[in-house]
Amino acid sequence: MHTKFHICLFVFINLILSVASLGIFAAEVRDIRVAQQEGVTRLVFELSDVSEHRIFPLSNPERIVLDISDVVLDAAVVNGLSALSSDVLMRVRYAKRDSGVRFVLDLAQKVRAKSTVLAANGTYGPRILVELEYGVRKPATIVKSLANLSKEKRNIVIAIDPGHGGKDPGALGQYKVREKDIVLSIGKELASRINAVDGFKAVLTRSTDTYLPLRDRSRVARDANADLMISIHADAFTKSSARGASVWALSLSGKSSEMGRWLAQQENSADLVGGISLDDKDQLLAEVLLDMSMNSTIQMSLNIGKSVLGEMKGVAVLHKGSVQQAGFVVLKSPDIPSILIETGFVSNKTEAKNLSSRAYRVKLAASIATGVVEYFTKNAPDGTLVAWKQGNHTDFVYTVEKGDTLSEIARSNQVSLAVIRQANDLKNDVIWIGQKLVIPAG
């Protein structure tokens, strides 16, 4: 009896291994799409399951090779390969290789290639995004936001959102503490601390006891071109023993639901993914771009939150020792790193007393400001005064004003006349009011 069972089991296992070797259980390449933008072509390989891949370039002629392990090709994908092209992508070829597939991207010129893995979501399976960047932009065609076209490098903008307000008092705690009052006080002090640092600017979503809908708070941050949004709250719980401050960032589940909301209104989603409008993209590419943007935003939020939490522990008892994640609405901006700070439990007698003290609120605000400034000092965005002072200079565009001379512009920006002439293809030193001049990095 046992011998027959073992024999059957042995045969069954070998059958499974044989089937697997034939690729029946391999993941499937379900779809391949191409999208073209100025200077970049993106290919999205959608799979039925996660698979390993590698990518590398070959020259003479120029091409990119993408190997995906343990996959088979859907027949419809094979039939559609001939339609895949762009101004740099000439054609896509494929061949079976070991247990997977090798794709060869024939190119019209040399490119910089990189790949990114995007996790499955409710609409698509796992995806491999291949980006082909090419061409060298001349300095005169560098595109910058009009908000940055000035002599000065821009400030790092921190949007501060004191929660609740007006008809919404928030949590009510010991000593008649109202959340809306506590967080407004901390928010104002935090804004004052941020504004005192050269190269930083704070913007408050509310500076008085007024009510503001959740989505409008993010809109204030976006209108201010904020580099970070900080939402400030105070918690409460049924058990008075609950205590501790915490820092929160957006969760992956919160990200997924928010992506669906933005993609449902693509016509209103311009400039949400690094200046790329989504309204003229097909659904898959729009989701890929938004997915990448939100992944980057969440990671940056976690890093900032860690820096802030590290400073807060010197002032407040921490409820959790690491940055937590949840789907709070105010954290859901695809383009703005956002953190939510719970300053403590007003339902706890000790913390309600602390938060009622102006001296304590000042210390707490100072610790938050220190964490924010330290992070952005180490990771200063391009084009900001902080980055410029650190020597991380980037080209920017200056608009000629009345009374300007080319030599004075060169001197004030610490570059030579020859460099400015070359960057702007000038034959002489004649300039005119309103002319846009590229100022190369010093």
Side-chain angles (χ1 to χ4, degrees):
M1 181 75 178
H2 291 293
T3 303
K4 288 183 178 180
F5 172 77
H6 289 139
I7 292 174
C8 291
L9 181 61
F10 177 78
V11 171
F12 177 73
I13 291 174
N14 276 278
L15 179 61
I16 293 295
L17 292 174
S18 298
V19 168
S21 68
L22 293 173
I24 295 177
F25 292 145
E28 185 178 58
V29 180
R30 290 176 171 173
D31 195 14
I32 305 175
R33 294 206 194 179
V34 173
Q36 169 69 45
Q37 283 181 275
E38 182 182 0
V40 60
T41 288
R42 294 183 175 90
L43 294 93
V44 179
F45 295 77
E46 184 188 353
L47 311 177
S48 62
D49 201 355
V50 178
S51 295
E52 295 292 325
H53 80 279
R54 66 170 184 149
I55 185 172
F56 58 92
L58 293 174
S59 299
N60 299 316
E62 297 296 334
R63 56 207 188 278
I64 296 296
V65 176
L66 171 67
D67 286 336
I68 307 179
S69 303
D70 302 316
V71 294
V72 294
L73 279 182
D74 181 275
V77 173
V78 174
N79 294 334
L81 288 179
S82 59
L84 301 177
S85 65
S86 71
D87 57 1
V88 74
L89 178 64
M90 297 169 62
R91 64 173 176 168
V92 178
R93 296 179 285 127
Y94 85 99
K96 294 181 180 179
R97 179 178 173 83
D98 298 327
S99 61
V101 175
R102 165 166 289 186
F103 293 96
V104 179
L105 315 181
D106 292 321
L107 306 172
Q109 67 180 80
K110 190 178 183 65
V111 303
R112 297 176 298 279
K114 63 180 180 179
S115 63
T116 305
V117 175
L118 301 174
N121 55 39
T123 305
Y124 302 107
R127 289 145 294 160
I128 299 172
L129 171 66
V130 176
E131 295 180 280
L132 309 175
E133 298 178 354
Y134 52 95
V136 178
R137 282 190 233 172
K138 296 180 180 179
T141 62
I142 291 177
V143 178
K144 294 284 184 180
S145 167
L146 292 177
N148 295 334
L149 301 184
S150 66
K151 287 182 179 179
E152 303 299 328
K153 310 300 178 293
R154 74 172 182 87
N155 290 319
I156 294 171
V157 179
I158 310 299
I160 301 169
D161 173 42
H164 308 281
K167 63 182 182 181
D168 176 14
L172 303 176
Q174 303 276 352
Y175 305 108
K176 297 182 180 181
V177 168
R178 297 188 303 181
E179 180 180 5
K180 68 173 184 178
D181 301 326
I182 295 296
V183 298
L184 180 59
S185 174
I186 294 173
K188 286 183 174 180
E189 182 63 32
L190 176 58
S192 177
R193 298 270 173 169
I194 294 293
N195 284 327
V197 181
D198 196 25
F200 286 79
K201 176 184 177 183
V203 175
L204 283 161
T205 60
R206 70 177 182 97
S207 56
T208 59
D209 183 19
T210 54
Y211 173 75
L212 195 63
L214 293 176
R215 295 286 180 184
D216 289 351
R217 296 170 188 266
S218 296
R219 191 171 296 113
V220 171
R222 183 167 294 108
D223 290 344
N225 294 316
D227 296 279
L228 170 67
M229 180 172 177
I230 304 174
S231 190
I232 304 174
H233 290 259
D235 219 336
F237 195 61
T238 52
K239 293 183 178 180
S240 61
S241 58
R243 66 179 303 190
S246 55
V247 178
W248 297 76
L250 184 62
S251 66
L252 292 178
S253 58
K255 181 199 79 168
S256 297
S257 63
E258 189 66 5
M259 283 178 60
R261 195 182 77 86
W262 281 111
L263 290 166
Q265 51 174 26
Q266 284 187 29
E267 68 278 5
N268 298 322
S269 302
D271 301 324
L272 289 177
V273 286
I276 301 172
S277 172
L278 299 180
D279 58 0
D280 60 344
K281 308 297 183 296
D282 66 55
Q283 182 76 10
L284 178 59
L285 177 60
E287 180 154 341
V288 165
L289 293 175
L290 196 54
D291 202 348
M292 292 174 62
S293 178
M294 294 195 77
N295 283 343
S296 175
T297 299
I298 289 175
Q299 187 56 56
M300 187 172 174
S301 301
L302 289 169
N303 292 340
I304 296 171
K306 183 178 179 181
S307 178
V308 169
L309 201 62
E311 295 298 325
M312 287 178 62
K313 69 181 182 183
V315 177
V317 172
L318 298 184
H319 186 66
K320 296 286 186 179
S322 59
V323 180
Q324 305 299 293
Q325 292 181 263
F328 296 120
V329 172
V330 290
L331 298 177
K332 290 186 175 182
S333 292
D335 53 335
I336 305 173
S338 305
I339 59 174
L340 184 146
I341 298 175
E342 293 284 4
T343 55
F345 284 79
V346 294
S347 52
N348 179 278
K349 185 175 292 188
T350 301
E351 294 198 339
K353 184 177 181 180
N354 285 341
L355 291 170
S356 297
S357 163
R358 170 165 173 74
Y360 180 82
R361 294 196 299 268
V362 168
K363 288 181 180 179
L364 195 59
S367 69
I368 297 170
T370 299
V372 169
V373 171
E374 283 188 355
Y375 174 84
F376 279 104
T377 299
K378 294 176 182 176
N379 305 275
D382 289 342
T384 61
L385 180 61
V386 175
W388 182 264
K389 285 184 174 182
Q390 295 173 346
N392 302 330
H393 301 175
T394 57
D395 296 355
F396 75 103
V397 181
Y398 172 66
T399 303
V400 176
E401 299 176 354
K402 184 176 181 180
D404 281 340
T405 65
L406 198 63
S407 60
E408 175 60 26
I409 293 172
R411 186 193 64 77
S412 62
N413 286 281
Q414 300 180 4
V415 297
S416 69
L417 270 171
V419 167
I420 291 187
R421 292 191 196 107
Q422 182 178 11
N424 295 276
D425 196 25
L426 299 177
K427 305 301 181 185
N428 52 49
D429 293 351
V430 176
I431 55 176
W432 61 89
I433 297 174
Q435 182 179 3
K436 300 283 193 301
L437 294 176
V438 174
I439 310 298

